[in-house]
Amino acid sequence: MTPRSIPCSPIEGQKPGTSGLRKKTRVFMQPGYLENFVQSVFNGIGGARGKTFVVGGDGRFFNAQAIQTILKMAAANGVARVIVGKGGLLSTPAASHLIRLNKTDGGLILSASHNPGGIDEDFGIKFNTPNGGPAPEGVTDAIYAETTKLDCYQALDVDDIVLDLIGEVTLGTMKVAIIDPVVDYQALMATLFDFAKIRALFASGFTMKFDAMHAVTGPYAQAVLEGALGAPKGTVINATPLEDFGGGHPDPNPVWAKPLMDLMMSDIAPDFGAASDGDGDRNMVVGRGVYVTPSDSLAVLAANAHLAPGYAAGIAGVARSMPTSGASDRVAKHLGIEAYETPTGWKFFGNLMDAGKVTICGEESAGTGSNHVREKDGLWAVLLWLNILAERKQSVADVMADHWKLFGRDYYSRHDYEAVSKDAADEVMDGIRARMGDLVGQQFATLTVAKSDEFTYLDPVDGSVSSKQGLRIWFEGGARAVLRLSGTGTEGATLRIYLEQYADSHEDHTRDAQDALSNLRDAVVELCELDRIIGRSEPDVMT
């Protein structure tokens, strides 16, 4: 089992973003491509000899083969021990917990999150640091630098090992601990939530459907909801992880989780509905007849977190990504705690959590979490909602009505224009930048611009500066629009436009969201000249 040094060439386009490296699966399957990146990770963190790592993924196509490659490379690079989920499966929050619980030197997580899976779809990989969170820019820059100059990688020339049996095996001199991917995560949840009270809620006849979308959260949800909490069998649907997610799009929103949405809006709706994504870090929450936006969900969780044992002493602060609505800011003010606005990307929350400045964080893209790990956590959000419902003895609709009555409502929607040519997307953004100083006072459709800027973030922990994080435009009357180019796709550019209209606590909170946002939508379409530049004014996906 002598390690081999295998020649390879630097590969362009391997700069990891805030969500790691994502490409089409066939790109990762090219000889040397995955290997180049993994070796660059080991080199970029100062070598791997004697270290311990967590390795796992969401089970999408190529996950199993990629993990075997990573294990052989880890052994050849002198890694002492690897912890891997049975069958190669680990949800992203569970992987973060394992990194922290075992005080490892980090982990390699294989996922393209909510992107579709399959040989012609998407694959991804990222390195999480010893705090359990995504690597900060300094680390990703070092990894990228290695990819541009790497000329060989190290690997053992051995057969694959069996990952379907829990226990410990040896690969070269490296120990491989194959664990049940659910056990440690479930134990953590039991310390945060009142399982007895949630069990009593289900025993009282409370009904629920959890759509695991044929993704990695299925086994976790079955073990926790149907096992530990006593929810009826069948509460978790689409529970078996599949390489192609059953041909679906594992993104928990009203578009891609439409069967669940249709059920929740029907006459036979259960009391509560939820869904999670490919790697288990995102969530959707919906009550009977009422969809809860991720921005509102963050605000409700922050306002009611004290009802769960893990947060009974209160929360230190709340953080949200910049495009997320300001709903959680008003909760923070009410609670007398700090509210932080960060760029999109969970690593920015990690700094705040490590410094003890915030407890709960969230993004408009269906990610919420707390300082129990350093990733967003879909099932955690669902369990906190269940704990709140068990304590308040109200429906989701009643919880939301009470919340809006106290804090007001932020009508909110994200409009995605997908597969836009990069030139056209850049023309939209650059055109607004060029006019930024002249927009104030101008009227578009029926709204007048009150203020505009490009978001720059000064990290209050390490003093780092992140610029060009999105264009913000405020209109008179409490409306705000945000424009960003997404970095999570693998094909073309996605122009994301976020629309937000505030209605204070005395106004009507029952309007349809898209109707309440129609004037703002028309103003932004005109301001951005979407018809002229990209040839369309209607989004591909509206959530």
Side-chain angles (χ1 to χ4, degrees):
M1 293 189 181
T2 303
R4 288 198 305 147
S5 182
I6 303 170
C8 68
S9 301
I11 300 178
E12 294 183 5
Q14 287 214 355
K15 187 172 179 62
T18 58
S19 303
L21 180 68
R22 292 185 189 170
K23 298 288 180 183
K24 288 299 181 184
T25 304
R26 290 186 188 273
V27 173
F28 271 100
M29 294 173 70
Q30 295 176 90
Y33 192 90
L34 171 69
E35 292 87 345
N36 178 297
F37 186 78
V38 173
Q39 188 65 56
S40 295
V41 169
F42 292 149
N43 293 355
I45 62 172
R49 185 163 300 280
K51 294 181 177 179
T52 299
F53 297 101
V54 169
V55 176
D58 61 14
R60 67 180 57 230
F61 188 89
F62 192 56
N63 185 81
Q65 301 95 310
I67 287 178
Q68 295 288 349
T69 296
I70 291 169
L71 292 177
K72 294 170 188 176
M73 292 183 63
N77 277 272
V79 171
R81 186 168 183 256
V82 168
I83 301 167
V84 61
K86 179 183 176 183
L89 294 179
L90 278 177
S91 77
T92 292
S96 178
H97 176 51
L98 286 172
I99 292 169
R100 295 166 60 79
L101 178 68
N102 294 280
K103 296 179 171 58
T104 75
D105 297 285
L108 285 159
I109 300 175
L110 284 65
S111 175
S113 188
H114 54 296
N115 292 12
I119 192 168
D120 293 313
E121 297 297 348
D122 299 343
F123 193 80
I125 182 171
K126 67 176 180 177
F127 177 72
N128 279 31
T129 56
N131 79 336
E137 288 180 1
V139 176
T140 57
D141 286 346
I143 294 170
Y144 173 63
E146 290 292 332
T147 70
T148 65
K149 61 186 180 183
L150 195 72
D151 60 5
C152 67
Y153 63 89
Q154 307 296 315
L156 290 187
D157 186 10
V158 294
D159 293 335
D160 292 350
I161 62 173
V162 177
L163 294 178
D164 293 328
L165 298 175
I166 293 173
E168 188 167 279
V169 297
T170 300
L171 189 62
T173 60
M174 182 179 78
K175 302 295 184 183
V176 180
I178 304 164
I179 65 163
D180 184 320
V182 176
V183 170
D184 288 320
Y185 177 85
Q186 180 174 321
L188 176 62
M189 295 300 104
T191 69
L192 299 175
F193 304 114
D194 190 333
F195 274 24
K197 204 148 243 176
I198 301 174
R199 274 196 299 270
L201 178 69
F202 281 115
S204 73
F206 180 87
T207 55
M208 173 185 178
K209 285 296 179 186
F210 181 98
D211 189 351
M213 306 188 84
H214 286 302
V216 78
T217 315
Y220 294 84
Q222 284 184 316
V224 177
L225 296 175
E226 297 182 1
L229 298 176
K233 296 294 183 184
T235 293
V236 182
I237 58 176
N238 300 321
T240 303
L242 300 176
E243 287 188 332
D244 65 348
F245 306 114
H249 196 308
D251 193 349
N253 64 50
V255 175
W256 300 117
K258 188 176 185 299
L260 177 64
M261 283 296 297
D262 289 346
L263 173 65
M264 295 305 300
M265 300 302 153
S266 73
D267 294 336
I268 58 170
D271 296 301
F272 186 66
S276 191
D277 71 330
D279 65 330
D281 63 356
R282 299 179 189 232
N283 72 92
M284 181 178 79
V285 168
V286 58
R288 181 181 291 146
V290 56
Y291 167 67
V292 183
T293 69
S295 294
D296 273 346
S297 184
L298 170 64
V300 170
L301 296 182
N304 293 276
H306 63 281
L307 298 177
Y311 310 95
I315 58 177
V318 182
R320 64 172 174 87
S321 64
M322 181 272 289
T324 304
S325 89
S328 60
D329 297 1
R330 284 182 286 280
V331 170
K333 183 177 180 180
H334 176 78
L335 295 175
I337 58 177
E338 289 294 323
Y340 296 88
E341 182 181 34
T342 74
T344 297
W346 210 259
K347 62 187 178 183
F348 297 102
F349 295 147
N351 265 6
L352 296 169
M353 288 188 284
D354 285 346
K357 292 182 177 294
V358 302
T359 305
I360 290 181
C361 310
E363 299 178 326
E364 57 72 35
S365 54
T368 36
S370 84
N371 60 355
H372 68 290
V373 291
R374 292 299 182 268
E375 289 277 5
K376 43 189 177 278
D377 189 345
L379 188 53
W380 168 89
V382 172
L383 291 171
L384 182 48
W385 262 100
L386 289 171
N387 206 147
I388 291 166
L389 295 175
E391 287 285 354
R392 293 185 55 150
K393 297 179 172 57
Q394 289 181 296
S395 68
V396 173
D398 288 341
V399 169
M400 295 311 305
D402 285 355
H403 185 87
W404 293 330
K405 187 175 180 180
L406 178 60
F407 296 104
R409 179 177 182 180
D410 292 84
Y411 289 98
Y412 188 89
S413 185
R414 188 181 84 193
H415 292 190
D416 288 358
Y417 295 81
E418 297 180 336
V420 177
S421 76
K422 187 173 186 309
D423 288 344
D426 286 341
E427 184 178 348
V428 171
M429 299 293 284
D430 291 341
I432 297 172
R433 282 192 189 97
R435 295 181 288 144
M436 191 71 78
D438 301 322
L439 289 177
V440 175
Q442 288 193 42
Q443 181 171 314
F444 298 93
T446 61
L447 299 182
T448 301
V449 176
K451 184 172 66 169
S452 62
D453 71 7
E454 185 159 19
F455 182 53
T456 295
Y457 179 64
L458 174 63
D459 193 305
V461 178
D462 62 21
S464 62
V465 176
S466 300
S467 57
K468 292 190 174 181
Q469 294 298 313
L471 305 177
R472 302 186 293 185
I473 303 162
W474 291 266
F475 295 85
E476 295 177 1
R480 183 185 76 147
V482 172
L483 284 84
R484 291 181 63 249
L485 297 183
S486 170
T488 61
T490 61
E491 190 172 0
T494 296
L495 174 64
R496 287 192 169 149
I497 299 177
Y498 310 82
L499 306 175
E500 176 183 357
Q501 175 68 61
Y502 178 63
D504 70 25
S505 58
H506 304 294
E507 295 184 46
D508 179 16
H509 301 140
T510 62
R511 296 178 64 189
D512 173 77
Q514 299 303 331
D515 177 62
L517 293 165
S518 59
N519 289 340
L520 177 58
R521 178 197 62 222
D522 293 345
V524 173
V525 167
E526 180 182 329
L527 186 155
C528 297
E529 302 181 82
L530 294 185
D531 285 317
R532 179 184 69 81
I533 298 174
I534 68 173
R536 48 191 159 124
S537 58
E538 294 297 323
D540 297 279
V541 179
M542 189 164 56
T543 55

